[in-house]
Amino acid sequence: MTKADLGFVEQYCKRHGFGYLPAWDNPPLSGLLFRSRDRVQFRTVIDARTAETPFLLGCAQARGRGRRKVAVLVMPLRRPVPNMILMSRRNSLFSGLGIALEETQLLNLGGEFGSSFSLYCPNDYEPDALFVFTPDVMAKLVDATGVSDLEFVDDRLLIYASVDTFYTPQRLAQASELVTFLADKIGQQTRFYRDLGSSGETASDPFRIEQLTSGNSGNLTVGSQGRRIRTRTTGWQKAGITVVSLAVLTAGVYWVTMVTSALTPGGN
């Protein structure tokens, strides 16, 4: 969509008293798309951090992940929680962006929920994940139209969806509705969470104070082993690395051969 096509977003922000940013490079956020802080572009940003139920919505593109853009909806939580990721089994955007997670962190949900989502959490945090993802919370997520993947990181929830899930005049209001929809049950489940194994560690994220947070976390934190999920290299990425390595090796051999031939007497 062109800038003219997205004019309705700025008008929407004016009507509701939200902030609007046409562009925001390298936003201070944590998450799977934001692990390289100089490689993410946010466009057409709705800044509703002052709303009764605060949120941030942007159209994000990560360099090195192709040309695909995704809508990212960010909402604060009342407490820091372990890094947990819920991936859609049908239309995961993470999979389309070449992001894969270590399978040893996969928690079996079973039943209807297991057929809709894959839940990943750090090792030894399985009981903590089930404390947050109760059956009624999972039922709400299954019914949340347009949601592809969710990520809990520190004291924020990041919701990933296709751009047209929110960025049309008819659907834009769904962003705030979805935040309100999820803030109820998920907010209730996370407001009492505390990592008993964190031993009073200090959060190591230097950008945390700048990020969209609830401001109510105090000194609570999650142990370092529970803050980030491990990713892995996909088969396609391994194949690409192999092809590039072979091309570099072939070019190197050719260059050495040419130099050796030029330096050898009578080589011309």
Side-chain angles (χ1 to χ4, degrees):
M1 289 184 288
T2 66
K3 183 177 180 180
D5 294 332
L6 293 170
F8 66 88
V9 179
E10 188 171 5
Q11 294 301 317
Y12 173 84
C13 291
K14 288 180 179 179
R15 286 198 306 271
H16 292 83
F18 299 156
Y20 173 77
L21 291 171
W24 188 1
D25 289 341
N26 312 320
L29 293 170
S30 297
L32 283 179
L33 286 185
F34 305 96
R35 291 189 174 182
S36 297
R37 298 195 178 277
D38 60 344
R39 298 179 64 84
V40 177
Q41 299 173 326
F42 245 25
R43 296 291 182 266
T44 320
V45 181
I46 298 174
D47 185 353
R49 284 178 287 182
T50 58
E52 182 177 354
T53 307
F55 68 93
L56 193 75
L57 173 64
C59 182
Q61 182 176 15
R63 301 188 191 100
R65 297 289 180 186
R67 303 174 68 89
R68 188 169 188 177
K69 297 179 181 179
V70 300
V72 182
L73 182 62
V74 188
M75 56 180 285
L77 303 173
R78 302 189 184 201
R79 298 286 184 94
V81 296
N83 189 196
M84 298 175 289
I85 296 173
L86 200 66
M87 294 178 62
S88 171
R89 286 185 174 272
R90 299 184 180 92
N91 59 344
S92 171
L93 291 173
F94 287 153
S95 297
L97 292 170
I99 296 174
L101 307 178
E102 286 284 355
E103 292 299 318
T104 57
Q105 302 164 115
L106 178 62
L107 180 58
N108 183 18
L109 290 171
E112 177 189 358
F113 305 139
S115 64
S116 299
F117 293 102
S118 297
L119 174 59
Y120 293 84
C121 67
N123 297 134
D124 300 325
Y125 278 83
E126 292 83 1
D128 306 64
L130 295 177
F131 178 85
V132 174
F133 288 100
T134 55
D136 53 348
V137 169
M138 291 300 303
K140 281 185 176 289
L141 296 177
V142 169
D143 293 337
T145 303
V147 172
S148 172
D149 306 306
L150 290 90
E151 181 177 14
F152 288 83
V153 55
D154 301 326
D155 54 356
R156 292 170 301 284
L157 170 60
L158 283 73
I159 303 164
Y160 302 87
S162 60
V163 172
D164 59 7
T165 297
F166 301 120
Y167 282 96
T168 70
Q170 296 77 24
R171 297 181 179 180
L172 189 56
Q174 290 184 3
S176 57
E177 292 172 1
L178 183 58
V179 169
T180 302
F181 178 76
L182 295 177
D184 179 22
K185 280 295 182 182
I186 290 181
Q188 290 297 324
Q189 290 303 112
T190 58
R191 69 181 300 182
F192 299 115
Y193 177 79
R194 183 172 184 177
D195 184 358
L196 299 179
S198 64
S199 304
E201 297 177 54
T202 301
S204 60
D205 186 350
F207 295 88
R208 186 169 180 269
I209 196 171
E210 302 177 34
Q211 300 184 51
L212 178 69
T213 66
S214 64
N216 299 322
S217 301
N219 293 323
L220 296 174
T221 187
V222 174
S224 56
Q225 70 276 13
R227 290 183 200 146
R228 298 295 180 268
I229 280 180
R230 300 188 309 277
T231 57
R232 62 179 173 84
T233 305
T234 66
W236 283 107
Q237 290 168 337
K238 290 179 180 178
I241 292 171
T242 300
V243 170
V244 171
S245 299
L246 288 174
V248 171
L249 179 61
T250 301
V253 170
Y254 176 77
W255 182 82
V256 170
T257 301
M258 293 297 294
V259 170
T260 302
S261 176
L263 294 178
T264 301
N268 290 331

